[in-house]
Amino acid sequence: MRSRRAAIGGRLLVRLATSVMVLWGAVTVSFCALHLTPGSVEDALVGTTIVTPEVRAQIAVDYGLDRPLLVQYGAYLGRVVSGDLGYSYQRHESVVSAIGAGIGPSLQLAGAGMALALVVATVSALTTAGRARWIRGLASGAELVGTSVPMFWVGILLLTVFSFQLGWMPAVGGDGLTGLVLPAISMAIPVGALLSQVMREGLERVLQQPFALTARARGMSDGGVRLRHALRHALLPVITLAGWLFGMLLGAMVVTEKVFSRPGLGVLMLDAVHGKDLPVVMGVVLVSATVYVVVNTGLDLIYPVIDPRLREAT
Amino acid sequence: MHRALPSSRWIRGIRRPTSRIVLPTVLTLAAGLGLTACSSSADSEAKASAPVQGGTLRFAVHTQPTNLDPHSSPSDVTALLTRHVVDSLVAIDAEGKIKPWLATSWTVSPDQRSYTFTLRDGVRFSDGTSFDAAAVKANLDHVVDPKTKSALAAGLIPAYERTEVLDPLTAKVTFSRPHAPFLASLSTPYLGIQSPAALARGQEALARNVVGSGPFVMESFEPGKLVTYRRNPDYAWPPQDAELKGPAYLDRLEISIIPEDSIRVGALSSGQVDAIGGVPSVSVKQLEANPNITVQRQQASGGNYNYYPNTSAGPFADVRVRQAFRVGIDFATIVKSLYFGVYEPATSPIAAVTVGYDPGTRDLQRHDPQAAAALLDQAGWTGRDDEGYRTRDGQRLVVRWMFVRAIAREQRPVLAEQVQAAARKIGIDVQFLDVTLSTYPGIAARGDYDLADFSWQRIDADALRDLFHSTNVPTETGSGANAARYQDKQVDAWLDRTLETGDPAERAELYASIQRKVLEDAAVFPVYSPSYVFATSKRANGISWEQPAYPAFYGAWTTGE
């Protein structure tokens, strides 16, 4: 028993160390990428406006741009460890507060979109897997459309119908739930369609397995077979995919944020990349990488709960 | 008393990046499905003639502000959002005349270097502190303080030396050399008077909240979403000419930020906002067809959207090649067809509404491909290669364009491609350089381009000084707007004289000479005069217009609700 705990502890330590390496790598790569692209930060800040040489010098001093690149990198890493992500060049606020303002709406949107997508995918896969040809055809047709239509197009269509025409939802300034419904739906459509495809395929494979036949032979109802046996098997690849999608959504959200005029990490990142606002770019990269790591670690912990075989393995 | 010596007001050359997703297809498709936004909540009430007290006006802008401090930020949306929060010492009217505002009178020293202002008594900032000469000093000192990192305001008063408080209601501002454009600059929100107590809170606080003595008080700012204001009930010190004398009609003003064009238009047609700015030219017809909506266009003053050839090196160093480019391409027709008549084709480097514009420049504009061919022949570009481009000594006639696609707005990339196609017809190969906002200043400083493009909104013809004075050629040590790298002693002398003379007639003459000279030298290819297009529903009334380019809300009122 003790040795097993030690093994789990060891695995956790390794996991933690690799996570730190991932985060360090993410920060370093983004630092290099932004410094390797042509153009200086001062130039990006000044743009095409006319500033006095004193203002230019002040910018360089304020942001430590007059120091060698390696020193800037070292200083940045040092500050990150102490929880200070620096000060935005353009936004006149600390990176922590800029991200703090954006991460709430982003997580809400990604979370709501993801949850909705999972529910829709599960329901649709459970009800259509292994059914008559025309039902499956209908479902997979809908999925194909869902994964193919661009997210912004869905967003604008939803706004046109439910906001401009029917007036059910505000197009702008919606707080809380009313402001979240349409953006979450527009995100859930492509994600849900993709997950539904994967899940139905998995379900259909499982339903052909001998144990499914055995369960039916025991007199179990069709719904029971699907819910108690098949779903668990089909869920694993979906959960893996969902974890990856969640991380991706944080970035892909910029389109939805633009269409629905929502603040969030996507818009923050886009503006920062355009303006060469290094501290914000690196801050968002770091936070996104952290979210990835946390979500994937969380998923690793969930796998054994879903699949008992993995429990034995540990 | 001194007459107006109007000047620089506005830099909007190239805007900060605001990437947008343009979706013509979705609209077409939506229309096909019968889903086009129709006007709901139609307010059938006819516009009442008497303003209504109270209510909330909801406006939507298209640009995202990142910094609300007009002393620091150069962006036009900052001016739009703060104009009704900060008052200025002086106001300027459509003819460029300077009018009293927070300063009741002023005198200018004979050497044109100092301005002594007598200030209005009894003015209070919305935080309760009093406006006085010390406040004037605190504001101007704040503008030039390097810590403010001013990207525009400090450039409006480059020769600023100091402000002295002579007594609580008298302030004397001194420059190191004559700077006649000072009073006009002073009328802009960029040099607006903020509460010294608020200034003391530092740039981070100022970027999110501005405190002034204006008719509205900024209440909240949600970045990327919304700015809200409430009426300042004590307001009693508008500009001398203002129709309204006391507090604003509106109880509240809400300005939301909707970057996506089709959503902004939809929000207006469905009555979710009362007025919008930045109406895309493709939507103008659709909105004009809606009986509940009024579309207003206002031409922006200052430098038009022009192309500037690099006159110092490359093919455009030869004046004949520049002239050939200008007469060989039918700019006016391209502009008319692309913008559906919303933007006027330009004939001068500055817009027709600008004080100092020379109407005589219209006669200098023509389209004549044969003349262009003759000019290119004279310049030695007589050969032709297999693709049909002109050559000289085996070298193709190539024009390299420093075009910043990432931040181009108003369909300028489409315009540029049409110009490229038109240039091909006269045998010129126009190529686009891969330029981003951060590489632009370096390329501009080195002069490593043949063509540049931008607009330069300012209150008056002083824009010409930025655009054509030899000291404003971009270099490694200093940025500048003379992208034509134009250096002409005569033009420099005329421009220098405009800083010193207060005589409007002489200034008009000087500006006319300058416009003609730079057009004759083909140091600029005028393209179009940008207009600010905004649309209002029947609920929204009394939104006024302030040059060069933004709506103002002091006298606004709403019907209904």
Side-chain angles (χ1 to χ4, degrees):
Chain A
M1 199 63 188
R2 182 165 297 162
S3 68
R4 193 174 159 202
R5 251 186 222 158
I8 291 176
R11 277 166 46 85
L12 271 177
L13 268 182
V14 171
R15 181 88 211 184
L16 203 67
T18 46
S19 302
V20 170
M21 289 298 281
V22 165
L23 297 182
W24 170 76
V27 169
T28 307
V29 167
S30 60
F31 184 90
C32 293
L34 278 158
H35 276 284
L36 287 178
T37 53
S40 76
V41 174
E42 291 105 306
D43 277 346
L45 290 180
V46 169
T48 53
T49 56
I50 298 177
V51 299
T52 55
E54 295 82 52
V55 168
R56 209 185 159 82
Q58 181 76 33
I59 291 173
V61 172
D62 274 13
Y63 297 119
L65 299 170
D66 49 349
R67 293 177 299 171
L69 216 54
L70 263 179
V71 177
Q72 291 184 40
Y73 173 68
Y76 180 73
L77 280 187
R79 284 203 313 272
V80 166
V81 172
S82 64
D84 174 11
L85 294 179
Y87 196 80
S88 161
Y89 296 157
Q90 293 187 318
R91 305 177 65 86
H92 302 267
E93 61 180 336
S94 71
V95 175
V96 170
S97 88
I99 290 178
I103 196 165
S106 283
L107 285 179
Q108 260 180 22
L109 181 55
M114 205 66 218
L116 195 62
L118 276 172
V119 169
V120 170
T122 310
V123 170
S124 118
L126 276 177
T127 48
T128 59
R131 302 289 187 206
R133 199 191 173 93
W134 67 271
I135 296 181
R136 289 167 53 215
L138 209 65
S140 63
E143 283 156 9
L144 192 64
V145 171
T147 49
S148 310
V149 291
M151 226 184 257
F152 63 79
W153 189 85
V154 174
I156 291 192
L157 200 69
L158 287 172
L159 277 177
T160 307
V161 177
F162 294 103
S163 181
F164 303 154
Q165 288 268 307
L166 301 172
W168 292 353
M169 302 282 171
V172 280
D175 287 317
L177 204 59
T178 50
L180 195 60
V181 173
L182 293 182
I185 292 176
S186 85
M187 287 196 90
I189 286 176
V191 175
L194 182 63
L195 292 179
S196 168
Q197 271 176 339
V198 172
M199 199 186 278
R200 195 177 52 251
E201 201 179 310
L203 275 177
E204 283 174 351
R205 212 172 22 236
V206 173
L207 287 174
Q208 283 162 8
Q209 298 281 322
F211 71 81
L213 191 66
T214 313
R216 283 185 208 280
R218 282 206 323 264
M220 202 172 195
S221 70
D222 179 54
V225 173
R226 280 166 190 264
L227 277 174
R228 293 214 28 208
H229 295 286
L231 185 61
R232 274 195 171 185
H233 284 267
L235 220 48
L236 271 185
V238 169
I239 296 279
T240 311
L241 192 63
W244 174 76
L245 277 173
F246 185 81
M248 205 198 65
L249 278 187
L250 280 179
M253 224 152 34
V254 59
V255 175
T256 314
E257 287 170 358
K258 283 259 170 198
V259 169
F260 291 93
S261 313
R262 280 177 67 92
L265 287 187
V267 173
L268 183 70
M269 183 70 161
L270 187 73
D271 288 347
V273 169
H274 271 310
K276 237 180 155 68
D277 197 345
L278 296 182
V280 173
V281 172
M282 290 193 290
V284 176
V285 166
L286 191 64
V287 167
S288 309
T290 310
V291 170
Y292 251 103
V293 166
V294 168
V295 167
N296 281 301
T297 310
L299 287 180
D300 280 359
L301 296 177
I302 290 177
Y303 285 145
V305 178
I306 300 171
D307 190 342
R309 290 172 301 183
L310 292 172
R311 261 176 264 167
E312 310 295 308
T314 54
Chain B
M1 276 304 266
H2 188 71
R3 267 306 283 276
L5 292 179
S7 167
S8 45
R9 176 150 192 175
W10 205 266
I11 295 181
R12 202 173 54 174
I14 289 189
R15 201 175 284 192
R16 287 270 151 205
T18 47
S19 80
R20 56 173 63 156
I21 310 133
V22 184
L23 318 150
T25 43
V26 78
L27 291 179
T28 328
L29 206 95
L33 295 172
L35 295 173
T36 39
C38 76
S39 56
S40 59
S41 77
D43 199 342
S44 55
E45 231 176 289
K47 284 200 182 196
S49 51
V52 176
Q53 194 75 33
T56 301
L57 183 82
R58 297 159 304 168
F59 191 82
V61 293
H62 59 298
T63 330
Q64 144 95 331
T66 50
N67 177 2
L68 293 182
D69 178 14
H71 289 179
S72 170
S73 165
S75 76
D76 53 351
V77 70
T78 298
L80 184 151
L81 293 170
T82 54
R83 175 68 287 182
H84 42 273
V85 176
V86 297
D87 290 332
S88 294
L89 287 184
V90 297
I92 192 165
D93 69 11
E95 281 79 48
K97 292 205 179 70
I98 304 293
K99 297 291 167 88
W101 194 348
L102 293 186
T104 51
S105 66
W106 54 90
T107 56
V108 185
S109 68
D111 65 358
Q112 305 267 336
R113 283 180 47 219
S114 346
Y115 296 74
T116 307
F117 295 94
T118 304
L119 306 178
R120 187 168 180 143
D121 198 6
V123 174
R124 286 193 163 281
F125 294 107
S126 60
D127 60 6
T129 57
S130 291
F131 163 75
D132 55 14
V136 174
K137 179 175 168 56
N139 272 270
L140 292 178
D141 286 353
H142 176 252
V143 167
V144 297
D145 184 349
K147 285 199 181 61
T148 306
K149 295 203 263 301
S150 172
L152 170 58
L156 296 176
I157 45 173
Y160 175 77
E161 226 172 56
R162 64 180 182 278
T163 303
E164 294 156 83
V165 178
L166 300 185
D167 66 56
L169 291 178
T170 312
K172 182 181 176 192
V173 180
T174 305
F175 290 87
S176 57
R177 57 175 190 269
H179 189 68
F182 176 51
L183 288 176
S185 306
L186 203 54
S187 74
T188 68
Y190 297 107
L191 296 177
I193 304 298
Q194 305 180 33
S195 157
L199 291 179
R201 289 206 304 262
Q203 282 312 116
E204 186 159 354
L206 283 178
R208 347 208 97 235
N209 193 301
V210 173
V211 180
S213 58
F216 287 94
V217 180
M218 193 178 286
E219 222 172 41
S220 72
F221 170 45
E222 291 176 64
K225 206 169 168 187
L226 186 70
V227 190
T228 63
Y229 310 84
R230 64 163 190 274
R231 172 174 44 202
N232 175 1
D234 305 323
Y235 192 68
W237 40 85
Q240 194 189 48
D241 286 355
E243 274 176 47
L244 202 55
K245 298 294 173 203
Y249 297 119
L250 296 171
D251 286 337
R252 297 180 55 76
L253 175 63
E254 294 179 6
I255 302 184
S256 41
I257 298 136
I258 311 181
E260 177 53 48
D261 283 343
S262 55
I263 305 303
R264 205 166 54 255
V265 170
L268 174 70
S269 343
S270 62
Q272 297 184 38
V273 295
D274 305 315
I276 60 172
V279 176
S281 47
V282 285
S283 306
V284 167
K285 274 227 163 69
Q286 176 204 339
L287 287 173
E288 277 174 342
N290 186 332
N292 295 309
I293 287 171
T294 314
V295 179
Q296 299 182 52
R297 300 164 204 187
Q298 296 285 350
Q299 195 177 81
S301 60
N304 286 317
Y305 175 65
N306 299 321
Y307 297 163
Y308 297 92
N310 180 349
T311 60
S312 70
F316 282 146
D318 187 331
V319 66
R320 290 168 298 192
V321 180
R322 302 201 297 268
Q323 285 164 342
F325 196 88
R326 190 156 71 92
V327 299
I329 294 171
D330 191 356
F331 288 103
T333 305
I334 293 175
V335 165
K336 272 180 204 151
S337 60
L338 182 63
Y339 294 112
F340 309 101
V342 175
Y343 299 148
E344 283 284 310
T347 60
S348 158
I350 53 175
V353 292
T354 318
V355 175
Y357 165 78
D358 175 20
T361 55
R362 284 193 198 116
D363 308 329
L364 301 175
Q365 185 85 348
R366 67 199 164 99
H367 172 230
D368 186 348
Q370 278 165 353
L375 282 162
L376 289 173
D377 285 342
Q378 284 168 31
W381 296 95
T382 46
R384 291 275 180 174
D385 65 11
D386 9 325
E387 288 184 56
Y389 293 112
R390 285 185 175 257
T391 58
R392 187 176 68 186
D393 308 327
Q395 293 286 322
R396 182 188 283 187
L397 179 46
V398 172
V399 166
R400 294 166 313 131
W401 191 339
M402 175 170 60
F403 193 77
V404 192
R405 199 171 287 270
I407 55 167
R409 59 184 194 275
E410 291 163 359
Q411 290 184 279
R412 286 173 187 176
V414 183
L415 181 67
E417 276 154 26
Q418 297 192 2
V419 168
Q420 184 186 38
R424 191 191 169 128
K425 283 190 191 142
I426 55 168
I428 299 176
D429 184 9
V430 172
Q431 298 176 358
F432 295 101
L433 296 175
D434 183 19
V435 184
T436 64
L437 193 67
S438 47
T439 55
Y440 183 96
I443 294 172
R446 290 194 303 278
D448 191 14
Y449 59 91
D450 300 318
L451 195 64
D453 66 292
F454 53 87
S455 59
W456 198 254
Q457 269 82 8
R458 291 291 184 99
I459 188 69
D460 75 353
D462 191 53
L464 292 167
R465 196 166 50 87
D466 296 325
L467 296 170
F468 299 110
H469 198 284
S470 63
T471 56
N472 289 324
V473 172
T475 61
E476 297 290 352
T477 49
S479 45
N482 185 352
R485 313 186 87 77
Y486 183 68
Q487 308 199 22
D488 185 278
K489 289 213 168 62
Q490 178 69 69
V491 168
D492 278 359
W494 284 330
L495 287 167
D496 289 339
R497 180 69 194 140
T498 62
L499 288 186
E500 294 156 7
T501 178
D503 175 19
E506 189 188 351
R507 288 169 70 88
E509 205 163 299
L510 287 166
Y511 285 134
S513 310
I514 295 160
Q515 287 167 66
R516 282 161 180 276
K517 178 79 166 104
V518 297
L519 285 170
E520 275 157 21
D521 287 349
V524 55
F525 309 141
V527 184
Y528 70 83
S529 302
S531 285
Y532 189 89
V533 186
F534 65 109
T536 54
S537 77
K538 285 201 163 157
R539 276 194 87 236
N541 299 275
I543 298 176
S544 60
W545 176 256
E546 205 160 314
Q547 279 298 13
Y550 57 95
F553 301 96
Y554 172 40
W557 51 279
T558 64
T559 52
E561 289 189 6

